Amino acid sequence: MKLFEERGYEGTTVADIAERAGLTKRTFFRYFTDKREVLFSGTEIFEGTVIKGVLDAPAKASPLDAVAAGLDASAVVFEQIPDRAGKRQALLDANPELQERERAKLAGLSGSVAAALRERGVTEPAAGLAADAGMSVLRVAFERWTTDPHGQDLRKLLRDALAELKSVTA
Amino acid sequence: MKLFEERGYEGTTVADIAERAGLTKRTFFRYFTDKREVLFSGTEIFEGTVIKGVLDAPAKASPLDAVAAGLDASAVVFEQIPDRAGKRQALLDANPELQERERAKLAGLSGSVAAALRERGVTEPAAGLAADAGMSVLRVAFERWTTDPHGQDLRKLLRDALAELKSVTA
DNA sequence: GTCTATAGTCCGATAGAC
DNA sequence: GTCTATCGGACTATAGAC
């Protein structure tokens, strides 16, 4: 993160990162398949929290509400590291190739959420559609949270975005 | 396409493509910013058709129904080249880096659709949410269309997916 | 059209942990 | 004695600079 802040993402080579960490380039690629991946470590914690939230939602909750429960549970993860989340977001905003990876990760999360819904007995295509809808809600809420100067509660933003979505598709 | 079928996407270098086309590598990069981009030319036609469909939808149509009108209009584009669409899909399925680009293109389309909705007077975040929902519907319908042996009418699949979405978010 | 930087891979070697 | 982590360096292809 320090290197990226100093020289930008493009301006930092894998060799630079490895050197700063006291390793060689070769070893970097043992830990990260990609240069991009280095900005996405820790993602699994977030994903795990979401999935747990989906599975733990009340049995009678609708598919979309179960997804919402998962997102709500995960909000805590971000709120613990707001400044790091902000810096990361700034890097993503400036680099299309990082945005591509971000979307791929979100698509992966959507797939996992859909699988969790199926465990709850939801069938396709409902599971996939509900999962995608959740990603959309997350995107809107998260964007507001990072944009807004001293953002409101992320969980409130999530609830608001969900309500908007329901009204749009009504 | 021939080269990709013979040697696969990874197994084909940009130099190979350029040579087959009677050009140099340098010239390839004048036309395509990326090796990946070569599989996404012609996309603009599709995007233009969608946008036109959104803008031409009845003034009283809901945001989501306007998006549906755009997708419906675009279905014709695919149905004209079903086998090419199938081959392309097979390449995408086998290469994660192409899937990333595909998602980026879809995200771009979503942004354009949202802009078209705003021209229709729809405000954010409704416009963005409706546009994203449309992408989700498109994904589900398109997947069924290419998977299903002798697929049904793509437009019917689109209508079905839209109905599913509405019921999921109800 | 040439020239160069960088991502990413492959091979083999080495050293420490248990 | 095997298993795992690191290293060094050579090599290819993409991509961009000039």
Side-chain angles (χ1 to χ4, degrees), chain B residues 96-127:
Chain B
E97 56 176 307
L98 292 176
Q99 293 166 34
E100 286 198 351
R101 181 55 53 84
E102 169 86 334
R103 281 188 208 102
K105 291 287 179 186
L106 265 188
L109 175 60
S110 179
S112 302
V113 167
L117 287 175
R118 270 179 261 125
E119 269 190 57
R120 289 175 59 93
V122 182
T123 58
E124 290 296 356

Side-chain angles (χ1 to χ4, degrees), chain A:
Chain A
M1 270 303 215
K2 279 184 199 158
L3 283 171
F4 288 150
E5 281 167 41
E6 289 169 22
R7 319 181 193 176
Y9 176 78
E10 290 260 314
T12 308
T13 71
V14 171
D16 291 338
I17 301 171
E19 192 193 12
R20 178 71 63 101
L23 300 169
T24 66
K25 196 181 67 165
R26 182 69 183 81
T27 306
F28 175 94
F29 284 114
R30 273 180 58 87
Y31 285 90
F32 306 100
T33 55
D34 247 12
K35 181 182 172 187
R36 296 171 206 95
E37 276 300 305
V38 80
L39 271 160
F40 293 87
S41 67
T43 295
E44 325 76 43
I45 300 170
F46 168 62
E47 175 156 336
T49 312
V50 175
I51 300 304
K52 188 172 181 324
V54 172
L55 294 175
D56 290 352
K60 57 170 85 173
S62 75
L64 190 56
D65 286 332
V67 175
L71 295 178
D72 192 74
S74 76
V76 188
V77 177
F78 291 115
E79 289 178 331
Q80 281 169 354
I81 45 162
D83 53 326
R84 188 185 163 90
K87 283 176 186 169
R88 204 190 91 113
Q89 193 58 38
L91 278 172
L92 293 216
D93 289 343
N95 293 90
E97 56 177 307
L98 292 176
Q99 292 166 34
E100 285 198 351
R101 180 56 54 85
E102 169 85 334
R103 282 189 207 100
K105 291 286 179 185
L106 266 187
L109 175 60
S110 179
S112 303
V113 167
L117 287 175
R118 270 179 260 125
E119 269 189 57
R120 290 175 58 93
V122 183
T123 57
E124 289 298 356
L129 288 166
D132 271 11
M135 299 307 109
S136 201
V137 165
L138 175 62
R139 186 183 55 72
V140 167
F142 195 77
E143 191 184 311
R144 300 207 152 171
W145 187 61
T146 46
T147 303
D148 223 315
H150 288 85
Q152 317 154 49
D153 185 14
L154 177 55
R155 299 168 75 183
K156 179 182 180 337
L157 292 170
L158 281 166
R159 279 194 300 275
D160 291 350
L162 179 66
E164 291 269 10
L165 175 71
K166 284 183 176 175
S167 111
V168 163
T169 54

